[in-house]
């Protein structure tokens, strides 16, 4: 049976998530003498690298090859895994993180762009939200499978073995990517100089009222997701302290994101509802200081996955193919840029006060974002915009 382009992209995304060291990475870092300060240093280097190269990589995907950039991402993840597995200290680990950064920026926006253009060439662009939601759910499923397997591998063999085994899934993914057909839809559009293309990408986001409003919403909610993703486990410790329960809750968090990705296409014309569903759980969590907040935590994760899927779909539909990956990279870079100062603020609130005060800070931002969107959507309705 011959695999279609979309089926190959499905499998590729599953293999991309099949990283066996994600679930035990911090334990491995501790075992080679990297303390919390070292973890913070390595993370800061990775974030700075991503901020610097995210937009250029998107432009490169548009001007050179999206298939080529996906191949680079798979190879970079393999190289990163080997270097990280061989690390005996912080210096070499940071080198491995730099290669991991190449993987991140090479795939950021590129996978979505090649998926959309592949569907466009098949006359199925309207199905993008549903199909890309499935693809992202498969990525999360791969990560979930790898996390469970990685724990057993580390316990039976060693932490470093999980890094080396990851190379296998990366190599298979790279070979699969080579068999993809490069969409020519974006190639047919006018080619421009890099700076002009970057300017065009930014102008596209600013000139369309709907996209401009969605950029503000997604940038603000990047702070919410920063709290959920990077400080979520610390927040959970407020109510449970058993490591195994934290692990189960974190796995459940990943699967709720997968659920949101699967059902996202059903909320095609419900942006206001989605912003509400993203805000209400966070505000309630800031007011209800008990275990029920963990239920709201999962509810917000589903809503966040749906909202991000729908915002990305609107961006895909309202941008020319020649700058599609570039525009998505600009969005990604904006979120990362805002997350840098926000991470310091959240860290300070955790240390100076507690997790609840950090959550209240996030809830305030979410509430302000909701008020802004209600105003912006009302303006767009008057302008007869399709939201």
């Amino acid at each position: 049976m011959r695999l279609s382009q979309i089926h190959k992209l499905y499998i590729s995304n599953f293999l991309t998530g099949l990283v066996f060291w994600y679930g035990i990475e911090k334990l491995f870092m501790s075992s080679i003498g990297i303390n919390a300060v070292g973890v913070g240093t390595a993370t800061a280097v990775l974030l700075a690298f991503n901020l610097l190269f995210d937009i250029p990589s998107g432009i490169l995907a548009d001007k050179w090859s999206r298939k080529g950039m996906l191949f680079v991402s798979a190879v970079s993840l393999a190289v990163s895994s080997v270097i990280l597995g061989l690390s005996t200290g912080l210096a070499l680990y940071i080198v491995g993180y730099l290669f991991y950064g190449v993987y991140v920026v090479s795939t950021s926006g590129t996978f979505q762009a090649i998926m959309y253009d592949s569907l466009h060439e098949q006359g199925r662009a309207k199905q993008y939200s549903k199909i890309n939601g499935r693809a992202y759910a498969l990525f999360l499923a791969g990560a979930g499978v790898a996390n469970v397997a990685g724990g057993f591998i580390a316990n039976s063999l060693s932490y470093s073995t999980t890094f080396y085994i990851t190379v296998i899934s990366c190599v298979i993914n790279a070979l699969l990517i080579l068999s993809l057909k490069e969409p020519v839809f974006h190639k047919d559009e006018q080619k421009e100089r890099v700076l002009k293309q970057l300017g065009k990408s930014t102008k596209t986001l600013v000139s369309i009222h709907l996209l401009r409003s969605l950029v503000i919403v997604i940038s603000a909610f990047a702070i919410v997701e920063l709290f959920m993703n990077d400080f979520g486990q610390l927040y959970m410790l407020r109510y449970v302290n058993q490591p195994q329960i934290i692990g189960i809750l974190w796995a459940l968090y990943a699967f709720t994101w997968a659920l949101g990705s699967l059902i996202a296409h059903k909320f095609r014309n419900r942006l206001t509802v989605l912003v509400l569903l993203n805000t209400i759980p966070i505000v309630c969590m800031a007011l209800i200081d008990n275990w029920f907040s963990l239920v709201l935590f999962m509810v917000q994760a589903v809503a966040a996955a749906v909202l991000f899927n729908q915002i990305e779909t609107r961006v895909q539909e309202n941008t020319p193919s020649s700058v599609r990956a570039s525009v998505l990279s600009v969005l990604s870079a904006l979120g990362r840029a805002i997350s840098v100062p926000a991470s310091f603020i959240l860290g300070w609130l955790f240390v100076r006060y507690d997790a609840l005060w950090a959550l209240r800070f996030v809830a305030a931002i979410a509430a302000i974002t909701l008020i802004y969107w209600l105003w912006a959507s009302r303006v767009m309705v008057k302008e007869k915009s399709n939201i």
Side-chain angles (χ1 to χ4, degrees):
M1 179 180 177
R2 185 175 180 180
L3 293 173
S4 68
Q5 175 93 339
I6 302 305
H7 288 143
K8 289 178 181 179
L9 289 170
Y10 280 159
I11 297 171
S12 176
N13 226 27
F14 177 83
L15 291 171
T16 300
L18 206 62
V19 178
F20 295 91
W21 50 266
Y22 281 163
I24 56 87
E25 182 192 9
K26 297 303 182 291
L27 295 174
F28 173 72
M29 294 176 77
S30 177
S31 72
I32 60 175
I34 301 177
N35 58 19
V37 174
V39 171
T41 301
T43 302
V45 171
L46 176 61
L47 184 58
F49 181 91
N50 291 345
L51 278 172
L52 186 61
F53 292 102
D54 202 353
I55 295 176
S57 69
I59 294 175
L60 185 59
D62 285 331
K63 294 185 71 67
W64 171 52
S65 168
R66 290 165 184 175
K67 171 182 172 180
M69 291 302 290
L70 289 181
F71 179 79
V72 169
S73 73
V75 173
S76 299
L77 181 56
V79 174
S80 168
S81 297
V82 172
I83 295 175
L84 293 174
L86 292 172
S87 297
T88 56
L90 180 59
L92 188 57
Y93 207 88
I94 288 178
V95 174
Y97 254 25
L98 292 177
F99 278 93
Y100 185 78
V102 175
Y103 149 71
V104 172
V105 300
S106 296
T107 194
S108 177
T110 306
F111 181 88
Q112 297 93 323
I114 196 172
M115 174 69 83
Y116 188 90
D117 281 355
S118 296
L119 290 170
H120 184 278
E121 291 186 347
Q122 298 174 15
R124 302 167 60 196
K126 291 184 178 180
Q127 298 179 23
Y128 170 79
S129 175
K130 180 179 181 179
I131 292 176
N132 197 59
R134 289 176 182 169
Y136 189 60
L138 285 168
F139 168 82
L140 292 170
V145 170
N147 281 340
V148 174
F152 285 102
I153 293 170
N155 184 61
S156 302
L157 300 173
S158 66
Y159 290 133
S160 58
T161 303
T162 62
F163 291 86
Y164 304 144
I165 291 180
T166 299
V167 175
I168 298 174
S169 58
C170 293
V171 171
I172 296 173
N173 192 21
L175 294 174
L176 178 63
I177 290 169
L178 287 176
S179 71
L180 292 173
K181 175 186 175 184
E182 178 79 38
V184 296
F185 177 49
H186 70 290
K187 298 285 188 180
D188 294 335
E189 299 187 3
Q190 182 181 1
K191 295 185 181 297
E192 301 164 317
R193 294 183 181 274
V194 172
L195 289 179
K196 187 176 181 180
Q197 185 161 349
L198 178 58
K200 185 176 179 180
S201 303
T202 305
K203 184 179 179 180
T204 298
L205 290 174
V206 174
S207 62
I208 302 174
H209 195 163
L210 174 61
L211 293 188
R212 186 168 64 247
S213 299
L214 291 178
V215 166
I216 294 173
V217 170
I218 198 171
S219 298
F221 274 110
I223 299 176
V224 177
E225 295 316 306
L226 173 70
F227 176 86
M228 301 287 279
N229 293 329
D230 295 303
F231 294 89
Q233 292 184 12
L234 295 177
Y235 173 72
M236 290 176 178
L237 286 171
R238 187 175 181 86
Y239 306 108
V240 294
N241 53 23
Q242 296 91 344
Q244 62 272 30
I245 296 180
I246 293 291
I248 293 172
L249 288 172
W250 205 241
L252 182 59
Y253 175 59
F255 287 121
T256 53
W257 260 93
L259 173 62
S261 298
L262 288 172
I263 66 174
H265 65 282
K266 297 182 180 296
F267 292 82
R268 165 72 189 175
N269 297 311
R270 298 290 185 271
L271 286 176
T272 298
V273 172
L274 292 176
V275 176
L276 274 167
L277 290 176
N278 272 267
T279 304
I280 292 175
I282 289 292
V283 173
C284 291
M285 287 166 61
L287 299 174
I288 304 173
D289 187 19
N290 57 48
W291 65 268
F292 186 70
S293 295
L294 299 180
V295 176
L296 296 173
F297 190 98
M298 304 304 170
V299 172
Q300 198 280 336
V302 176
V306 177
L307 177 63
F308 277 69
N309 174 282
Q310 286 303 304
I311 289 179
E312 182 192 303
T313 299
R314 295 300 193 283
V315 173
Q316 298 277 18
E317 294 172 344
N318 288 277
T319 54
S321 181
S322 60
V323 296
R324 186 161 291 132
S326 303
V327 169
L328 292 173
S329 291
V330 169
L331 276 177
S332 178
L334 283 173
R336 289 189 177 112
I338 291 173
S339 295
V340 173
S343 63
F344 287 111
I345 294 173
L346 288 174
W348 177 77
L349 287 171
F350 263 89
V351 174
R352 180 66 177 81
Y353 298 99
D354 58 23
L356 195 59
W357 275 99
L359 180 57
R360 288 167 180 166
F361 167 74
V362 173
I365 292 175
I368 293 171
T369 304
L370 172 61
I371 293 170
Y372 164 76
W373 174 254
L374 292 175
W375 170 81
S377 59
R378 184 176 180 181
V379 171
M380 285 184 283
V381 167
K382 291 181 179 180
E383 296 176 351
K384 297 182 179 180
S385 297
N386 179 25
I387 60 173

